[in-house]
Amino acid sequence: MGVEAYNIHNRTCYGLKGVENDSVDALVTDPPYGISFQNNDWDKNLPNSKIWVNSISVLKPGGFGLVFTSIKLMHRIMVQLEDSGFLIKDVLFWSFLNGMPKSRNLAIDIDKELGVESRMTGVFQYVQGYKKGGADSYKSDNIKFIYEPASKLGQRYKGAGISLKPAYEPIIMIQKPLEEGLSVAQNMIKYGTGALNIEETRIPYKKGEPKVGHNPHPKGRVPSNIIRTQEFDDGYDKFFLIRKVRQRKDKFNHHPTLKPVDLMEHLVKLVSFDDQTVLDPFMGSGSTGVAAVNCDRKFIGYEIDKSYYNIADTRLRKDKQINQAINY
Ligand SMILES: C[S@@+](CC[C@H](N)C(=O)[O-])C[C@H]1O[C@@H](n2cnc3c(N)ncnc32)[C@H](O)[C@@H]1O
């Protein structure tokens, strides 16, 4: 099957029907995390590992892949990928500051367990940690009470919690092995794959920023394996800044886990070159596809859910310039 600008399919990705072996240059995908996000059925389990076997078959030798995953289950998916024949090359961190901590105040739980009434010591105005529904500013929703543990054991464990604030999503970088006996350069000459596209993904210097390093490249620094949504204020900036996008129920794209197009553009560019073909077996609302088309790559996508497929179809039909302007 030849690929026009894009080929998208409203069917299961298993088997990658219609895609020829050794025909795809790169894989960029955001599969189900297996964490039942917002109780979605499609996120109840990790994908079956046969999709990685299918993916390595259709990739050209030396082709790279980027696979989003969750912190808790990344080890499983890494084993699946390795068992399917991929080399694990790196793990990128997409870091953000607006993750919601899921911890709780254990000292108050201990009081409750012991039948001791915790002391109410004050009130505070609850400000939600993100701009709800695309609001321009953080909203102060309501007044909450501050409790102090009253039992002896509660006081001993004052401040104890159960988890950290999540601040990154891992993205596993994989590679199909080069053709046996070929060097990277020989593989590139034969297939156009085997190397990362550092040139197109350099981190530009800020205006007026002093160029550090022995031989600064005019386009900026080599891209790092950390991408973040907020600046780390360390004087000068070494990482990509890509903000999160929020699900907007009022907007036509209601996919609960949509990824920002500028993040996907960076990833697409990193593992492919102009005019090459990028595959996303779990395209959801098509963010990888929009990014691929914006970056002059061809795209093959699969989505099992009709309503998400329709969103991807609408987005991909839009004019490229409009897609570049709207980071939904
Ligand atoms: C994490 S979401 C992808 C979201 C996407 N990155 C976006 O920006 O919209 C994963 C998607 O995989 C789809 N999916 C799950 N199993 C599938 C299968 N067997 N074949 C194709 N798509 C599948 C789900 O319906 C879901 O939309």
Side-chain angles (χ1 to χ4, degrees):
M1 177 186 71
V3 186
E4 298 298 319
Y6 60 88
N7 282 343
I8 56 172
H9 308 278
N10 179 209
R11 67 160 96 103
T12 181
C13 58
Y14 292 114
L16 293 176
K17 211 168 157 221
V19 189
E20 283 167 19
N21 281 353
D22 293 340
S23 68
V24 168
D25 299 280
L27 168 79
V28 177
T29 192
D30 174 26
Y33 286 6
I35 55 171
S36 296
F37 183 70
Q38 292 181 352
N39 231 3
N40 281 292
D41 276 345
W42 55 261
D43 199 43
K44 290 226 152 71
N45 298 300
L46 282 176
N48 186 301
S49 62
K50 67 184 174 194
I51 187 56
W52 310 127
V53 175
N54 302 150
S55 299
I56 201 165
S57 301
V58 301
L59 269 178
K60 294 176 183 171
F64 275 89
L66 291 166
V67 181
F68 282 83
T69 183
S70 71
I71 295 169
K72 284 187 180 157
L73 292 179
M74 67 187 286
H75 59 293
R76 284 191 185 279
I77 211 152
M78 282 171 100
V79 169
Q80 283 188 348
L81 290 163
E82 202 176 47
D83 286 351
S84 308
F86 281 108
L87 306 169
I88 305 288
K89 300 296 286 186
D90 208 330
V91 179
L92 280 64
F93 281 15
W94 179 34
S95 163
F96 42 85
L97 298 181
N98 55 352
M100 288 284 278
K102 310 257 175 347
S103 199
R104 50 183 298 119
N105 191 339
L106 263 301
I108 304 303
D109 286 0
I110 289 172
D111 272 3
K112 262 189 211 136
E113 205 59 48
L114 297 176
V116 175
E117 200 172 327
S118 306
R119 279 192 297 273
M120 208 263 281
T121 57
V123 291
F124 67 99
Q125 204 175 28
Y126 173 71
V127 179
Q128 68 205 0
Y130 66 95
K131 295 171 183 169
K132 200 173 183 177
D136 290 336
S137 58
Y138 298 105
K139 254 177 45 190
S140 162
D141 261 9
N142 51 31
I143 299 295
K144 297 225 176 198
F145 299 107
I146 301 170
Y147 287 99
E148 290 286 326
S151 68
K152 214 168 161 199
L153 215 52
Q155 279 166 21
R156 171 172 162 71
Y157 294 116
K158 187 175 167 189
I162 52 169
S163 62
L164 304 178
K165 173 186 168 77
Y168 73 87
E169 273 184 51
I171 307 169
I172 306 164
M173 180 186 275
I174 50 175
Q175 188 184 19
K176 178 169 174 171
L178 305 174
E179 185 178 305
E180 215 180 323
L182 296 193
S183 67
V184 177
Q186 289 166 340
N187 197 92
M188 287 177 76
I189 292 166
K190 186 160 178 191
Y191 295 104
T193 47
L196 295 172
N197 189 346
I198 303 295
E199 186 69 8
E200 258 196 290
T201 51
R202 284 184 174 273
I203 302 162
Y205 298 110
K206 275 190 185 161
K207 221 172 162 204
E209 181 195 334
K211 307 219 179 351
V212 291
H214 296 298
N215 184 16
H217 190 287
K219 285 192 175 170
R221 296 184 180 81
V222 170
S224 70
N225 54 8
I226 295 183
I227 302 165
R228 78 280 184 277
T229 59
Q230 252 95 5
E231 281 177 48
F232 298 159
D233 197 2
D234 59 356
Y236 60 90
D237 187 6
K238 304 179 204 73
F239 305 111
F240 268 108
L241 177 77
I242 295 173
R243 295 188 198 285
K244 276 200 149 187
V245 281
R246 292 226 151 255
Q247 173 196 17
R248 297 280 300 265
K249 284 217 166 71
D250 53 325
K251 297 278 175 204
F252 92 101
N253 191 348
H254 55 265
H255 199 293
T257 66
L258 82 148
K259 292 287 186 288
V261 170
D262 43 7
L263 172 64
M264 302 316 292
E265 285 181 3
H266 173 66
L267 299 178
V268 159
K269 282 194 282 186
L270 188 60
V271 290
S272 67
F273 297 82
D274 266 13
D275 222 28
Q276 290 192 328
T277 302
V278 176
L279 166 71
D280 184 350
F282 302 97
M283 72 170 174
S285 65
S287 307
T288 310
V290 172
V293 170
N294 284 350
C295 297
D296 298 318
R297 271 65 166 171
K298 294 170 183 158
F299 176 67
I300 304 173
Y302 290 78
E303 173 53 50
I304 204 164
D305 181 286
K306 179 77 177 148
S307 67
Y308 297 154
Y309 169 87
N310 286 343
I311 300 170
D313 187 40
T314 309
R315 292 173 82 191
L316 280 160
R317 277 171 200 272
K318 277 195 200 311
D319 186 76
K320 180 173 153 180
Q321 277 176 350
I322 296 176
N323 272 330
Q324 275 169 339
I326 312 170
N327 185 27
Y328 50 74

